[in-house]
Amino acid sequence: MVPAAVQLTSTVVSLSPVVLAAPARAVDLQLRISLPRTGHDLPILLLSHGHGASNYLSSLEGYAPLANFWAARGFVVIQPTHLSSKTLRQDPRVLHAPGAPFFWRSRPQDMSYILDQLPTLEAAVPELTGRLDHSRVAVAGHSLGAHTASMLLGAQLTEDGTKVSLVDTRIKAGVLLTPPGNGGADLTAAGAERVPFFRYPSFAEMTTPTLVVVGDEDLSPQFTVRGADWHADSYFLSTGPKCLLTVLGSGHLLGGISGYDAAETTDENPERVALVQHLTWAYLRTALYPEDPAWPNACAQLQQQSPALARVECK
């Protein structure tokens, strides 16, 4: 589905690396900031990378197909390099930091810290000065990044018998791209051992409006005894308002969202990427600007023109 009605609003300006001092962190926080060249009162979109096999896509260098699309259509997209990134693995300060290798707790903390430091970023980066709308903030993440985003949106997990909440109420909407699902008996023994923070999630507290995006062929036998439906649990086990976009024939990378021509994309399909780009943008646009019909229009267009590519349900 190529959305002919949606045109580029501006040339994209991409700034990288923008280094944000973070004294409480193992290393300072490196960011890529992508934004339209023109415009004011721009909404903010935090984008959390996954934990894939590539050396650089799991960092501020990844997810250009999404970041560029969203920025060209009015968002200020901020991408941190989380401590889990392979680009930092050789730094002994990171290698031996608490939480290695996945850093599940520090990842959402990175995002909240970025929001804390927006005035600092605006003062240091002239392209941002006076152009941000601090009241309209969203978060998106892929795979492990979707786990990060879900916690910011209200999901919790239990560690050592204690429920952990890292929700950030400044975030008004989110997109979870192929997120991990339920724990307990739904996990393989190896998955529970390798990623212990997957064991006891709770999506009931994730009340922030969210679009969950899954592929109906996204099998993860390394983590779960279930099929591709496992990735949709954050939709079914949370309360509304939520929507679920199921991309048909798609695997974990939804046609190739993590980078242009990424080798690990097992289901490379530019049409799927275009669909995910457009529908995620439309959802966030309407979630942050309820008077904007971008999301219902995009859903109607999908149903009328490309029902074989994907399906949408909401609650």
Side-chain angles (χ1 to χ4, degrees), residues 25 58 83 86 101 117 177 186 190 200 218 261 278 289 301:
R25 204 170 178 266
S58 293
L83 293 177
K86 283 187 177 180
Q117 296 299 315
L177 300 152
D186 291 335
Y200 306 111
D218 183 8
D261 296 323
H278 178 51
Y289 301 88
Q301 183 183 6

Side-chain angles (χ1 to χ4, degrees), residues 154-219:
Q156 299 183 6
L157 60 81
T158 299
E159 182 183 53
D160 297 329
T162 301
K163 269 199 170 184
V164 178
S165 174
L166 295 172
V167 64
D168 194 316
T169 57
R170 293 171 291 186
I171 296 172
K172 306 305 181 185
V175 171
L176 306 183
L177 300 152
T178 62
N182 199 31
D186 291 335
L187 297 182
T188 63
E193 178 67 24
R194 180 188 174 203
V195 192
F197 56 91
F198 280 4
R199 293 177 183 173
Y200 306 111
S202 175
F203 300 110
E205 299 84 1
M206 194 177 76
T207 58
T208 310
T210 302
L211 172 65
V212 180
V213 185
V214 300
D216 71 341
E217 296 184 6
D218 183 8
L219 302 178

Side-chain angles (χ1 to χ4, degrees), residues 278-294:
H278 178 51
L279 284 167
T280 53
W281 168 83
Y283 178 84
L284 291 172
R285 179 70 192 178
T286 298
L288 295 181
Y289 301 88
E291 70 280 5
D292 191 320

Side-chain angles (χ1 to χ4, degrees), residues 26 83 92-100 103:
L83 293 177
R93 295 172 296 176
V94 175
L95 188 64
H96 303 295
F103 294 99

